[in-house]
Every structure is written in structure tokens, then in C-alpha cells.
Amino acid sequence: MVRLVQDHLYRKSVALVLSLQLNLPRIIGTWILIAAFACGLRLAFPATPYADAPWASGLGLLPYMLVVGAPVATLLLGLKLFPAGRLHAQPGLRLAQVGRWRKVDCLEAREMSQFGLYGVMASLLLGIALNVPVRTLEFLSAVPALGSYAPTWFISLYAVMLADVVLLSCLYMFAFAMALRMVPLFPRFLAMVWGVDLMAQVGIAQLVARVGDVPPAVEMALADLLSGNVKKVLISVALWLPYLLLSERVNITFRNRVSA
């Protein structure tokens, strides 16, 4: 019974990865439509009234164009930098030193049954991709549109939160592209993104603390949002870092080595 369940889950993971690879243009198009609609709803309810139509002002529309388009552009850039089927050189300095491993040839590694993005690795791939819609939804639900008469403290808060969602969405999408193309630098790049994410949340909290006149209710809501982001990153690190270090599939696929 356990074997049947494992086989079923493995087939599901294969179907998921193949679907992501084959339907990527359709997924991108769906994202653009849904995200653009959500941003339009957010623009309809600004923090302060508009002096003109929101689309008539670049400051009103441009931030949401970045929220929708920047992750897509980064994903396409990553896929172009790492074409499908290309063999990528291993890094000269090996950072993952946990465990005992034996090097194998890159062509030999590709012939092994553990090579590829299937199994548990498919869940990690999906989790990375879902970071973008989750962060975008949090940004749109927590931060109103700027409007034309916003106070100084809100402009500062808006700019910081906008930079956070755009930068981290782009980094996670680049990590997704590296994983999809099985680039050897993917594990350490994802670890770097986690570090940037944690530092960004702490940095935002410190910047907001220096901004004057922020209402207490806004400070409390922002603190809850930032602490929630920190917890999610720490949970991701706790779940996935051991897997990235010790998984036979990850080591064969991204490091060309097997257990000694």
C-alpha cells in the first residue's frame, strides 16, 4: 500500500512538472490577466482621492505595472539565460559539504533515475512559484493605492512595500527559472534569496520605525505583516534547507554527485 501511494505521488509530481514546462506561456498569460484585474480593483480604492484619472498619472499606474510585469520579465530573462537542455558547469567552490558524496559525470548523472525535478522537488518548485501571487495578494490587500494627496508617511511606506514585493517577486522568479533549467547554482541562489527576504523584512521594520506620524493602527498592521513574512521564510528554510543539502535527487541533479 505504501509503495502504491509513493508511486501515485511520484506520477503526480511528474505530471505537475511537465505541466509547468509545457503550459508556462498559458500560466504567464493567466497571471497577467488576474494580477492586472486585482491591481485595477486596488486602484479603484485609493488611500486619498485622485486629482485625475488614475491611469492618467504615471505614479498611479506605473507601480502596479511593475507588480504585474517585473516577475514575468525576470522569469523570461532567466529562461533565456539558461536555455533548455544545456549542460551547465559546476561551481568551482562547493559550499554544500554535509554528508559523504562521490562525483559522477554530468552525462552519467542524467541517466540516473533520481535525476530531474520530480518527487519532493516538484513541491519545492511549486512553492517557489507561489511566492509571487501570495506576496502580490498581501501587498494589494494591505497597502491602498497612493492617490494624489497622500501624506508623507504613507508615501514612504508605500514606496518601501512596493520595492519589497517587486524585488522579492523577481528574485523568486529567477530562482524558479534556475530550478526549471536545473542550473547547478540554484540551491545556493535560493538560499541567498531567503537571506535577502529576511533582511528586507527587518530593514522595512527599521525604516518604518524612523518615519514619523505613522498611525499606531498602521504600525501594528505592518508589524503583523512583516512578522508573518519572517515566519514564512524561516519555515521555508527549516523545511527545505535540509532537503537541498541531503536529498539524493538534488545532489544528482544540481551537484552531479551520489552518496558514497
Side-chain angles (χ1 to χ4, degrees):
M1 178 63 71
V2 175
R3 183 62 179 174
L4 290 175
V5 172
Q6 290 177 342
D7 290 342
H8 176 73
L9 293 177
Y10 181 79
R11 288 194 296 270
K12 287 288 187 180
S13 71
V14 173
L16 172 63
V17 174
L18 293 178
S19 178
L20 287 174
Q21 293 173 334
L22 296 175
N23 298 317
L24 198 56
R26 185 180 301 174
I27 294 172
I28 291 175
T30 303
W31 156 255
I32 292 175
L33 289 175
I34 295 176
F37 178 75
C39 289
L41 289 178
R42 182 76 278 182
L43 278 168
F45 301 96
T48 57
Y50 294 111
D52 203 344
W55 52 85
S57 171
L59 292 177
L61 192 57
L62 180 60
Y64 296 100
M65 294 176 63
L66 290 174
V67 169
V68 176
V72 174
T74 304
L75 173 60
L76 296 178
L77 174 63
L79 295 177
K80 185 175 182 179
L81 290 176
F82 309 114
R86 177 175 295 181
L87 296 177
H88 302 280
Q90 292 289 317
L93 177 62
R94 181 68 67 198
L95 299 181
Q97 299 292 341
V98 182
R100 298 180 59 191
W101 306 94
R102 174 177 60 85
K103 292 182 180 179
V104 295
D105 181 79
C106 61
L107 297 179
E108 180 184 353
R110 286 176 174 261
E111 295 177 355
M112 295 181 175
S113 60
Q114 288 288 336
F115 183 88
L117 303 175
Y118 312 124
V120 179
M121 185 62 203
S123 299
L124 175 58
L125 193 68
L126 181 62
I128 295 172
L130 289 177
N131 265 286
V132 175
V134 169
R135 284 184 171 271
T136 302
L137 179 61
E138 290 178 343
F139 171 75
L140 294 177
S141 60
V143 184
L146 200 57
S148 301
Y149 309 99
T152 303
W153 66 264
F154 182 70
I155 295 175
S156 302
L157 176 63
Y158 182 89
V160 171
M161 297 303 293
L162 174 67
D164 175 70
V165 69
V166 172
L167 174 62
L168 269 302
S169 294
C170 290
L171 288 177
Y172 279 113
M173 273 294 94
F174 198 79
F176 177 80
M178 294 179 73
L180 205 61
R181 296 299 198 230
M182 293 178 285
V183 179
L185 291 176
F186 160 72
R188 64 179 65 181
F189 183 83
L190 181 59
M192 182 209 71
V193 175
W194 284 332
V196 171
D197 202 347
L198 288 173
M199 290 189 295
Q201 307 313 307
V202 175
I204 290 173
Q206 293 177 346
L207 285 172
V208 173
R210 298 191 185 102
V211 177
D213 301 326
V214 180
V218 175
E219 287 186 343
M220 292 180 61
L222 181 62
D224 291 340
L225 176 62
L226 296 178
S227 63
N229 288 340
V230 170
K231 290 176 183 177
K232 283 185 289 188
V233 177
L234 292 178
I235 291 173
S236 296
V237 173
L239 286 176
W240 292 112
L241 186 57
Y243 174 76
L244 291 174
L245 291 173
L246 300 174
S247 167
E248 187 86 5
R249 180 177 297 278
V250 171
N251 279 279
I252 291 174
T253 303
F254 294 99
R255 301 187 182 105
N256 291 350
R257 65 185 188 182
V258 297
S259 297

